[in-house]
Amino acid sequence: MPASPEKNLVTGGAGFVGSHLVDRLIKSGEKVICLDNFFTGSKENIEHWIGHPSFQLINHDVTEPIKLDVDRIWHLACPASPIHYQFNPIKTAKTSFLGTYNMLGLARRVGARILFASTSEVYGNPEIHPQPENYNGNVNPIGIRSCYDEGKRVAESLCYDYMRMHGLEIRIARIFNTYGPRMLLNDGRLISNLLVQSIHGKELTIYGNGNQTRSFCFIDDLIDGLTLLMNSSNIGPMNLGNPEELSILQVANLIRNSSIKKLNLKFSKELEDDPLRRKPSIDLAQKELNWKPKMMFNKGLEITREYFQNKLDLEKINN
Ligand code: NAD
Ligand code: UDP
């Protein structure tokens, strides 16, 4: 008898990362329940699966408990872009704490393995560079990013306590900045802002002097990492990100140089508590999962630009 397909729950499955994960799981022959409250997610991201026998969509908020029969939980529900998670910071903290508590409770009840999508933001404004998993971070506990950063930190702590107290099978991924198709046009993050501005021939917005750095991972590479981690015996926390570090100015110049339009830069005040640099150490993921990102940044940018261009063209036709 062939083994029956895994039953997966993907919370935040209609969002950017979640919808790519749903694609990957269904294409691998698994069953997926996609759960989302559509705060930043969209039906468009998963509509190609509606009606498919392996796919089920549930409109639900993770801050409320739910009973489902599943083997694996991929807990991604939480807004990721600063403008979205700062829109209602109390709700963001509730989503991180209560949402994770509810999903851990569900995992415990049905004996499911649970992977929690944590973030490089747990390192805050890092004093150690690049950031290894054993660095405990430098987070402002009362700043405007803390609803997200501290929310993720307490959620990691909950995962570990469920493992220690109840023997739950947990996996924790610390995801670094990820980009690619299905980011929202109005997401407010660097890559979406700059690409959309470049398509419109507008000035590229730089917050602060642009010397702050980030490391950008293409979505397909991240999905490879997440699925490998879920299937591995390593609990994590494990960094998943691209170790190629770029300043914001370098990103802006790459986008400028690849555009046929003449683009100027527009500098404005730096954001509060904006981390100055960020680069993952991926030694652990390389050793344990034999994983490292493959996509070149130039190529990933081109694919993402094409996605935004098509989306804007469609919007024009529909208006
Ligand atoms: P996203 O905003 O596109 O997706 C989040 C999804 O969760 C959305 O579909 C949203 O509607 C849903 N959601 C939010 N609150 C919810 C709630 N209370 N109940 C049910 N659904 C809810 O963000 P993303 O970029 O896809 O991020 C997915 C996960 O990965 C998040 O947990 C985020 O913290 C983490 N992460 C992402 C990045 C990144 O660069 N994209 C980096 C680090 C960590
Ligand atoms: N940023 C910028 N212009 C923008 C959007 C973002 O200069 O239009 C900067 C932002 O200040 C930060 C970096 O780009 O230093 C990455 O921001 P993003 O919101 O993409 O990710 P996060 O800050 O969550 O890492």
Side-chain angles (χ1 to χ4, degrees), residues 4-9 30-33 69-73:
S4 45
E6 295 278 359
K7 286 178 281 178
N8 296 274
L9 170 64
E30 301 192 15
K31 292 191 168 179
V32 172
I33 299 175
D69 173 27
V70 289
D71 307 306
R72 288 185 167 190
I73 300 175

Side-chain angles (χ1 to χ4, degrees), residues 57-279:
L57 180 61
I58 301 182
N59 188 339
H60 181 82
D61 194 304
V62 288
T63 59
E64 302 293 335
I66 190 164
K67 286 186 178 174
L68 295 165
D69 173 27
V70 289
D71 307 306
R72 288 185 167 190
I73 300 175
W74 309 74
H75 179 38
L76 276 62
C78 182
S81 158
I83 55 165
H84 292 135
Y85 70 66
Q86 287 164 15
F87 173 75
N88 183 344
I90 298 172
K91 174 73 194 208
T92 300
K94 274 178 77 177
T95 294
S96 279
F97 179 79
L98 277 181
T100 306
Y101 171 74
N102 286 330
M103 290 309 117
L104 287 164
L106 173 63
R108 183 182 172 208
R109 206 169 51 81
V110 298
R113 180 178 292 182
I114 180 166
L115 180 145
F116 173 59
S118 186
T119 169
S120 53
E121 289 275 323
V122 298
Y123 302 122
N125 190 15
E127 305 122 314
I128 289 185
H129 198 72
Q131 293 79 55
E133 288 84 354
N134 62 5
Y135 173 50
N136 287 339
N138 174 34
V139 172
N140 174 359
I142 54 169
I144 57 166
R145 293 175 91 101
S146 64
C147 59
Y148 184 74
D149 304 0
E150 295 289 18
K152 292 287 188 180
R153 285 168 69 97
V154 78
E156 283 195 14
S157 151
L158 265 179
C159 290
Y160 260 77
D161 285 332
Y162 265 78
M163 178 185 71
R164 284 184 287 245
M165 284 186 70
H166 303 301
L168 206 73
E169 278 196 63
I170 60 161
R171 301 288 181 270
I172 298 178
R174 289 191 180 147
I175 303 171
F176 283 63
N177 297 63
T178 303
Y179 70 100
R182 299 192 191 147
M183 288 181 94
L184 289 173
L185 286 164
N186 63 351
D187 190 276
R189 282 183 275 192
L190 181 77
I191 303 294
S192 44
N193 273 4
L194 267 47
L195 284 178
V196 172
Q197 288 159 352
S198 78
I199 292 168
H200 288 311
K202 289 190 178 156
E203 293 168 316
L204 307 184
T205 52
I206 310 287
Y207 305 151
N209 59 19
N211 291 328
Q212 70 271 37
T213 67
R214 294 292 188 274
S215 308
F216 297 95
C217 184
F218 189 66
I219 184 68
D220 294 356
D221 285 326
L222 175 71
I223 300 298
D224 289 345
L226 288 175
T227 47
L228 284 168
L229 176 61
M230 180 63 117
N231 290 319
S232 82
S233 55
N234 196 293
I235 296 162
M238 189 179 286
N239 289 340
L240 293 178
N242 192 322
E244 186 190 355
E245 182 185 13
L246 294 167
S247 74
I248 303 316
L249 273 179
Q250 282 175 307
V251 175
N253 284 328
L254 273 172
I255 291 178
R256 264 172 126 183
N257 296 338
S258 61
S259 170
I260 42 168
K261 294 181 177 147
K262 184 176 162 359
L263 301 168
N264 293 318
L265 303 184
K266 183 180 163 200
F267 290 87
S268 55
K269 202 175 166 311
E270 75 265 19
L271 300 179
E272 206 178 315
D273 280 343
D274 200 7
L276 292 181
R277 46 193 199 157
R278 186 182 289 157
K279 168 185 162 113

Side-chain angles (χ1 to χ4, degrees), residues 203 304-305:
E203 293 168 316
T304 313
R305 181 205 300 275

